[in-house]
Amino acid sequence: MKIEILPLFRLPLIRLALTACIGLAGCGDADQDAPADEVLLEAPFAALTDSIRQAPRNDVYYFHRAVLLNKSSLSELALADFQKAWSLRGDEKYAFGIANIWLDRSPDSAVVFLRSALNRLPESYLLRVTLARAEDALGKTDEALSTARELLQQNPAIAEGWLIQADLLGKKQDAAGSLQSLEKAYELAPANLEIAFKLMYALAEAKNKRALSLCDTLIRQDTGRLHADPYYVKGLYYSNTGENAQAIHWFDETIRHDINYLNAYIEKGKILLNEKKITEAQPVFELANRVKPAFPDAYYWIGVCQEARGQKEEALLNYQKAYGLDKSFTEAREAADRLSK
């Protein structure tokens, strides 16, 4: 979906730097089968292994070897080295390495470790953010929200903390609180596109006219014409406020800027359907289907048009195609079941 502009808890610059340093992109379950002793004696680990043998209390050697191991998808060995480095010296980046391997493997273990690490480094913004991520991964939204609030008490001028709180409040169905947090985040970091995009969507969903001015600001700033989202959000705002002609205009503008913006086709077609303009709506959904033949929503809405026109066999086939492409598409399955009886 286009609405999900960027992933939850996107890394700020400090975490991007640490992630690159620690080599977390190599985390996973692809640990090789070679015995640990043999692996550590091979390149590129051999030199660091020799240094560790000569200076076994030097935490930096363990850390650098952990980074190399992680980049080589040897996360079990990397974890052991991060833990050894952490036992020798309470450096934040060592704890971050441990926590992120646990977060990938076992979020509950990450939570246990991070709470302990925060007793050692209570001022660590990085570890508290990671704790919120781990708690959220476990579905413990209330605990993650409490952690986010502690984060904001310590660092109220950092936009990411407000963004985290906004995402968590959204999961709690607190739209007003989420919007307020997004507005605070945008106030602190108006140049951050992730925050700006999330705010404009939230304003449009709230039928708040400030969505339009924010969209216009982002359109003016987009001198490279890279983003169709502000045009789409203007369409959403007008759709939500019942101004259908304006909504269709802006969905058309979205498609003109990005022919692959599939949600714009769907939203435009739905307006036409609601206006009982079935013969105009169906070609819009069919165009989305031609742009991306594996798009389940297009098949579903083509089926809706066909069913409304009495073409039940054709509608059934399209409902089945939609469900076949997306097994979580319950509306398509229910529509197919209805027509199969």
Side-chain angles (χ1 to χ4, degrees), residues 185-245:
Y186 181 68
E187 178 187 320
L188 291 166
N192 185 308
L193 280 182
E194 175 188 5
I195 294 171
F197 280 15
K198 286 194 173 189
L199 177 57
M200 72 178 177
Y201 276 105
L203 289 168
E205 288 300 318
K207 304 179 185 179
N208 188 317
K209 200 167 186 176
R210 285 188 292 119
L212 299 178
S213 59
L214 179 54
C215 289
D216 288 337
T217 297
L218 293 171
I219 289 169
R220 286 194 302 272
Q221 291 174 349
D222 185 20
T223 56
R225 297 169 65 85
L226 301 175
H227 304 290
D229 297 270
Y231 302 93
Y232 177 71
V233 172
K234 291 186 83 166
L236 279 183
Y237 170 81
Y238 285 118
S239 177
N240 289 337
T241 56
E243 300 172 75
N244 289 347

Coordinates of all heavy atoms in Angstrom, one line a residue, residues 185-245:
A185 N 6.2 16.1 16.0 CA 7.4 15.5 15.2 C 7.7 16.4 14.0 O 8.8 16.8 13.7 CB 7.1 14.1 14.8
Y186 N 6.6 16.8 13.3 CA 6.8 17.7 12.1 C 7.3 19.0 12.5 O 8.2 19.6 11.8 CB 5.5 17.8 11.4 CG 5.6 18.6 10.1 CD1 6.3 18.2 9.0 CD2 5.0 19.8 10.0 CE1 6.4 18.9 7.9 CE2 5.1 20.6 8.9 CZ 5.8 20.1 7.8 OH 5.9 20.9 6.6
E187 N 6.9 19.6 13.6 CA 7.3 20.9 14.1 C 8.8 20.8 14.4 O 9.6 21.8 14.1 CB 6.6 21.2 15.4 CG 7.0 22.5 16.1 CD 6.3 22.7 17.4 OE1 5.1 22.3 17.5 OE2 7.0 23.1 18.4
L188 N 9.3 19.7 14.9 CA 10.7 19.5 15.2 C 11.6 19.2 14.0 O 12.8 19.6 13.9 CB 10.9 18.4 16.3 CG 10.4 18.7 17.7 CD1 10.3 17.5 18.5 CD2 11.3 19.8 18.3
A189 N 11.0 18.5 13.0 CA 11.8 18.1 11.8 C 10.9 18.3 10.5 O 10.5 17.3 9.9 CB 12.2 16.7 12.0
P190 N 10.7 19.5 10.1 CA 9.8 19.7 9.0 C 10.4 19.2 7.6 O 9.7 19.0 6.7 CB 9.6 21.2 8.9 CG 10.8 21.8 9.7 CD 11.1 20.8 10.8
A191 N 11.7 19.0 7.6 CA 12.4 18.5 6.4 C 12.4 17.0 6.3 O 12.8 16.4 5.3 CB 13.8 19.0 6.3
N192 N 11.9 16.3 7.3 CA 11.8 14.8 7.3 C 10.6 14.4 6.5 O 9.4 14.6 7.0 CB 11.8 14.3 8.8 CG 11.8 12.8 8.8 OD1 11.1 12.1 8.2 ND2 12.8 12.3 9.7
L193 N 10.8 13.8 5.4 CA 9.7 13.4 4.5 C 8.8 12.3 5.1 O 7.6 12.3 4.9 CB 10.2 12.9 3.1 CG 10.6 14.0 2.2 CD1 11.0 13.4 0.8 CD2 9.4 15.0 1.9
E194 N 9.4 11.4 5.9 CA 8.7 10.3 6.5 C 7.6 11.0 7.4 O 6.4 10.6 7.3 CB 9.6 9.4 7.3 CG 8.8 8.4 8.1 CD 9.6 7.6 9.1 OE1 10.8 7.9 9.2 OE2 9.1 6.6 9.7
I195 N 8.0 11.9 8.2 CA 7.1 12.5 9.2 C 6.1 13.4 8.4 O 4.9 13.3 8.7 CB 7.9 13.4 10.1 CG1 8.8 12.5 11.0 CG2 6.9 14.2 11.0 CD1 9.7 13.3 11.9
A196 N 6.5 14.1 7.4 CA 5.6 15.0 6.6 C 4.5 14.2 5.9 O 3.3 14.5 5.9 CB 6.4 15.8 5.6
F197 N 4.9 13.0 5.3 CA 4.0 12.2 4.6 C 3.0 11.6 5.6 O 1.8 11.5 5.3 CB 4.7 11.1 3.8 CG 5.3 11.6 2.5 CD1 5.4 12.9 2.2 CD2 5.7 10.7 1.6 CE1 5.9 13.3 1.0 CE2 6.2 11.1 0.4 CZ 6.3 12.4 0.1
K198 N 3.5 11.1 6.7 CA 2.6 10.5 7.7 C 1.6 11.5 8.2 O 0.4 11.2 8.4 CB 3.3 9.8 8.8 CG 4.0 8.5 8.4 CD 4.5 7.8 9.7 CE 5.0 6.4 9.2 NZ 5.3 5.5 10.4
L199 N 2.1 12.7 8.4 CA 1.2 13.8 8.9 C 0.1 14.1 7.9 O -1.1 14.3 8.3 CB 2.0 15.0 9.3 CG 1.2 16.2 9.8 CD1 0.3 15.9 11.0 CD2 2.1 17.4 10.1
M200 N 0.5 14.2 6.6 CA -0.5 14.6 5.7 C -1.6 13.5 5.5 O -2.8 13.9 5.4 CB 0.1 15.0 4.3 CG 0.6 13.8 3.5 SD 1.3 14.4 1.9 CE 1.9 12.8 1.3
Y201 N -1.2 12.3 5.6 CA -2.2 11.2 5.6 C -3.2 11.3 6.8 O -4.4 11.1 6.7 CB -1.5 9.8 5.6 CG -1.1 9.4 4.2 CD1 0.2 9.4 3.8 CD2 -2.0 8.9 3.3 CE1 0.6 9.0 2.5 CE2 -1.7 8.5 2.0 CZ -0.3 8.5 1.6 OH 0.1 8.1 0.4
A202 N -2.6 11.5 8.0 CA -3.4 11.6 9.2 C -4.3 12.7 9.1 O -5.5 12.6 9.5 CB -2.5 11.7 10.4
L203 N -3.9 13.9 8.6 CA -4.8 15.1 8.5 C -5.9 14.8 7.5 O -7.1 15.2 7.8 CB -4.0 16.3 8.0 CG -3.0 16.9 9.1 CD1 -2.1 17.9 8.4 CD2 -3.8 17.5 10.2
A204 N -5.6 14.1 6.4 CA -6.6 13.8 5.4 C -7.7 12.8 6.0 O -8.9 13.0 5.8 CB -6.0 13.2 4.2
E205 N -7.2 11.8 6.8 CA -8.1 10.9 7.4 C -9.0 11.6 8.4 O -10.2 11.2 8.6 CB -7.3 9.7 8.0 CG -6.7 8.8 7.0 CD -7.7 8.1 6.2 OE1 -8.8 7.7 6.7 OE2 -7.5 8.0 4.9
A206 N -8.5 12.6 9.1 CA -9.2 13.4 10.1 C -10.1 14.5 9.4 O -10.8 15.2 10.1 CB -8.3 14.0 11.1
K207 N -10.1 14.5 8.1 CA -10.8 15.6 7.3 C -10.4 17.0 7.7 O -11.2 17.9 7.8 CB -12.3 15.4 7.5 CG -12.9 14.0 7.1 CD -14.4 13.9 7.4 CE -14.8 12.4 7.1 NZ -16.3 12.3 7.3
N208 N -9.2 17.1 8.1 CA -8.6 18.4 8.5 C -8.0 19.1 7.3 O -7.2 18.6 6.6 CB -7.5 18.1 9.5 CG -7.0 19.4 10.2 OD1 -6.8 20.4 9.5 ND2 -6.8 19.4 11.5
K209 N -8.5 20.3 7.0 CA -8.2 21.0 5.8 C -6.7 21.4 5.7 O -6.2 21.7 4.6 CB -9.0 22.3 5.7 CG -9.1 22.8 4.3 CD -10.2 23.9 4.1 CE -10.3 24.3 2.6 NZ -11.4 25.3 2.5
R210 N -6.0 21.3 6.8 CA -4.6 21.6 6.8 C -3.8 20.5 6.0 O -2.7 20.7 5.6 CB -4.0 21.6 8.2 CG -4.4 22.9 9.0 CD -3.7 23.1 10.3 NE -4.2 22.1 11.3 CZ -3.4 21.2 11.9 NH1 -2.1 21.1 11.6 NH2 -3.9 20.3 12.7
A211 N -4.5 19.4 5.7 CA -3.9 18.4 4.8 C -3.6 19.0 3.5 O -2.5 18.7 2.9 CB -4.8 17.2 4.7
L212 N -4.5 19.8 3.0 CA -4.3 20.4 1.6 C -3.1 21.4 1.6 O -2.3 21.3 0.7 CB -5.5 21.2 1.2 CG -6.8 20.3 1.1 CD1 -8.0 21.2 0.8 CD2 -6.6 19.2 0.1
S213 N -2.9 22.2 2.6 CA -1.8 23.1 2.6 C -0.5 22.4 2.8 O 0.5 22.8 2.1 CB -2.0 24.2 3.7 OG -2.0 23.6 5.0
L214 N -0.5 21.3 3.6 CA 0.8 20.5 3.7 C 1.1 19.8 2.4 O 2.3 19.8 2.0 CB 0.6 19.5 4.8 CG 1.8 18.6 5.1 CD1 3.1 19.4 5.3 CD2 1.6 17.7 6.3
C215 N 0.1 19.3 1.7 CA 0.3 18.7 0.4 C 0.9 19.7 -0.6 O 1.8 19.4 -1.3 CB -1.0 18.1 -0.1 SG -1.6 16.6 0.7
D216 N 0.3 20.9 -0.6 CA 0.8 21.9 -1.5 C 2.3 22.3 -1.2 O 3.1 22.5 -2.1 CB -0.1 23.2 -1.4 CG -1.5 23.0 -2.1 OD1 -1.6 22.1 -2.9 OD2 -2.4 23.7 -1.7
T217 N 2.6 22.4 0.1 CA 4.0 22.6 0.5 C 4.9 21.6 -0.1 O 6.0 21.9 -0.6 CB 4.1 22.7 2.0 OG1 3.3 23.8 2.5 CG2 5.6 22.9 2.4
L218 N 4.5 20.3 0.1 CA 5.4 19.2 -0.3 C 5.5 19.2 -1.9 O 6.5 18.8 -2.4 CB 4.8 17.9 0.2 CG 4.9 17.7 1.7 CD1 4.1 16.5 2.2 CD2 6.4 17.7 2.2
I219 N 4.4 19.5 -2.6 CA 4.4 19.5 -4.0 C 5.4 20.6 -4.5 O 6.2 20.4 -5.4 CB 3.0 19.8 -4.6 CG1 2.2 18.5 -4.4 CG2 3.1 20.2 -6.1 CD1 0.7 18.7 -4.7
R220 N 5.4 21.8 -3.8 CA 6.3 22.9 -4.2 C 7.8 22.5 -4.0 O 8.7 22.8 -4.7 CB 6.0 24.2 -3.4 CG 4.7 24.9 -3.9 CD 4.7 26.3 -3.3 NE 4.7 26.3 -1.9 CZ 3.6 26.2 -1.1 NH1 2.4 26.1 -1.7 NH2 3.6 26.2 0.2
Q221 N 8.0 21.8 -2.9 CA 9.3 21.4 -2.5 C 9.9 20.3 -3.4 O 11.1 20.1 -3.5 CB 9.4 21.0 -1.0 CG 9.1 22.1 0.0 CD 9.0 21.6 1.4 OE1 8.9 20.4 1.7 NE2 9.0 22.5 2.3
D222 N 9.0 19.5 -4.0 CA 9.4 18.4 -4.8 C 9.8 18.8 -6.2 O 9.1 18.5 -7.2 CB 8.3 17.4 -4.9 CG 8.6 16.1 -5.6 OD1 9.9 15.8 -5.7 OD2 7.7 15.3 -6.0
T223 N 10.9 19.5 -6.3 CA 11.3 20.1 -7.6 C 11.7 19.0 -8.6 O 11.6 19.2 -9.8 CB 12.5 21.0 -7.4 OG1 13.6 20.3 -6.8 CG2 12.1 22.3 -6.6
G224 N 12.0 17.8 -8.1 CA 12.4 16.7 -9.0 C 11.1 15.9 -9.4 O 11.3 14.9 -10.2
R225 N 10.0 16.3 -8.9 CA 8.7 15.6 -9.2 C 8.8 14.1 -9.0 O 8.5 13.3 -9.8 CB 8.3 15.9 -10.7 CG 8.0 17.3 -11.0 CD 7.9 17.6 -12.5 NE 6.7 16.9 -13.0 CZ 5.5 17.4 -13.0 NH1 5.3 18.6 -12.5 NH2 4.5 16.8 -13.6
L226 N 9.4 13.8 -7.8 CA 9.6 12.4 -7.4 C 8.5 11.7 -6.7 O 8.4 10.5 -6.7 CB 10.9 12.3 -6.5 CG 12.2 12.9 -7.1 CD1 13.3 12.8 -6.0 CD2 12.6 12.1 -8.3
H227 N 7.6 12.5 -6.1 CA 6.6 11.9 -5.2 C 5.1 12.2 -5.7 O 4.8 13.4 -5.9 CB 6.7 12.4 -3.8 CG 8.1 12.2 -3.2 ND1 8.6 11.0 -2.9 CD2 9.1 13.1 -3.0 CE1 9.8 11.1 -2.5 NE2 10.2 12.3 -2.5
A228 N 4.4 11.2 -5.9 CA 2.9 11.3 -6.2 C 2.0 11.4 -5.0 O 0.9 11.7 -5.1 CB 2.5 10.2 -7.2
D229 N 2.6 11.0 -3.9 CA 1.8 10.9 -2.7 C 1.0 12.2 -2.3 O -0.2 12.1 -1.9 CB 2.6 10.5 -1.5 CG 3.2 9.1 -1.7 OD1 2.6 8.1 -1.3 OD2 4.4 9.0 -2.3
P230 N 1.6 13.4 -2.4 CA 0.8 14.5 -2.0 C -0.5 14.7 -2.9 O -1.5 15.2 -2.4 CB 1.8 15.7 -2.2 CG 3.1 15.1 -2.0 CD 3.0 13.7 -2.6
Y231 N -0.4 14.4 -4.2 CA -1.6 14.5 -5.1 C -2.6 13.4 -4.6 O -3.8 13.8 -4.6 CB -1.1 14.2 -6.5 CG -0.1 15.1 -7.0 CD1 1.3 14.8 -7.0 CD2 -0.4 16.4 -7.6 CE1 2.2 15.7 -7.4 CE2 0.5 17.2 -8.1 CZ 1.9 16.9 -8.0 OH 2.8 17.7 -8.4
Y232 N -2.1 12.3 -4.3 CA -3.1 11.2 -3.8 C -3.8 11.6 -2.5 O -5.0 11.4 -2.3 CB -2.3 9.9 -3.6 CG -3.1 8.7 -3.1 CD1 -4.1 8.1 -3.9 CD2 -2.9 8.3 -1.8 CE1 -4.8 7.1 -3.4 CE2 -3.7 7.2 -1.3 CZ -4.6 6.6 -2.1 OH -5.4 5.6 -1.6
V233 N -3.0 12.2 -1.6 CA -3.6 12.6 -0.3 C -4.6 13.7 -0.5 O -5.7 13.7 0.2 CB -2.5 13.0 0.7 CG1 -3.1 13.6 2.0 CG2 -1.7 11.8 1.1
K234 N -4.4 14.6 -1.4 CA -5.4 15.6 -1.7 C -6.7 14.9 -2.2 O -7.8 15.3 -1.8 CB -4.9 16.6 -2.8 CG -3.8 17.5 -2.3 CD -3.4 18.6 -3.2 CE -4.4 19.8 -3.1 NZ -3.8 21.0 -3.8
G235 N -6.5 13.9 -3.1 CA -7.7 13.1 -3.5 C -8.4 12.4 -2.3 O -9.6 12.4 -2.2
L236 N -7.6 11.9 -1.4 CA -8.2 11.2 -0.2 C -9.0 12.2 0.6 O -10.1 11.9 1.1 CB -7.1 10.6 0.7 CG -6.6 9.2 0.3 CD1 -5.6 8.8 1.3 CD2 -7.7 8.2 0.1
Y237 N -8.4 13.4 0.8 CA -9.1 14.4 1.6 C -10.5 14.8 1.0 O -11.5 14.8 1.7 CB -8.3 15.7 1.7 CG -9.0 16.9 2.3 CD1 -9.2 17.0 3.7 CD2 -9.6 17.8 1.5 CE1 -9.9 18.0 4.2 CE2 -10.4 18.9 2.0 CZ -10.5 18.9 3.4 OH -11.3 20.0 3.9
Y238 N -10.5 15.0 -0.3 CA -11.7 15.4 -1.0 C -12.7 14.2 -1.0 O -13.9 14.4 -0.9 CB -11.5 15.9 -2.4 CG -10.9 17.3 -2.4 CD1 -9.6 17.6 -2.9 CD2 -11.6 18.4 -1.9 CE1 -9.1 18.9 -2.9 CE2 -11.1 19.7 -1.9 CZ -9.9 19.9 -2.4 OH -9.3 21.2 -2.4
S239 N -12.2 13.0 -1.1 CA -13.1 11.8 -1.0 C -13.7 11.7 0.3 O -14.9 11.4 0.5 CB -12.3 10.6 -1.4 OG -13.1 9.4 -1.3
N240 N -12.9 11.9 1.4 CA -13.4 11.8 2.7 C -14.4 12.9 3.1 O -15.3 12.7 3.9 CB -12.2 11.9 3.7 CG -11.4 10.7 3.7 OD1 -11.8 9.6 3.3 ND2 -10.1 10.8 4.1
T241 N -14.3 14.1 2.4 CA -15.2 15.2 2.7 C -16.4 15.2 1.7 O -17.2 16.1 1.7 CB -14.5 16.5 2.7 OG1 -13.8 16.7 1.4 CG2 -13.4 16.6 3.8
G242 N -16.5 14.2 0.8 CA -17.6 14.1 -0.1 C -17.5 15.0 -1.3 O -18.5 15.1 -2.0
E243 N -16.4 15.5 -1.6 CA -16.2 16.4 -2.8 C -15.7 15.5 -3.9 O -14.5 15.6 -4.3 CB -15.3 17.6 -2.4 CG -15.9 18.4 -1.3 CD -14.9 19.5 -0.8 OE1 -14.8 20.5 -1.6 OE2 -14.3 19.3 0.3
N244 N -16.5 14.8 -4.5 CA -16.1 13.7 -5.4 C -15.4 14.2 -6.7 O -14.5 13.6 -7.2 CB -17.3 12.8 -5.8 CG -17.8 12.0 -4.7 OD1 -17.1 11.9 -3.7 ND2 -19.0 11.4 -4.8
A245 N -15.9 15.3 -7.3 CA -15.3 15.8 -8.5 C -13.8 16.2 -8.2 O -12.9 15.9 -9.0 CB -16.1 17.0 -9.1

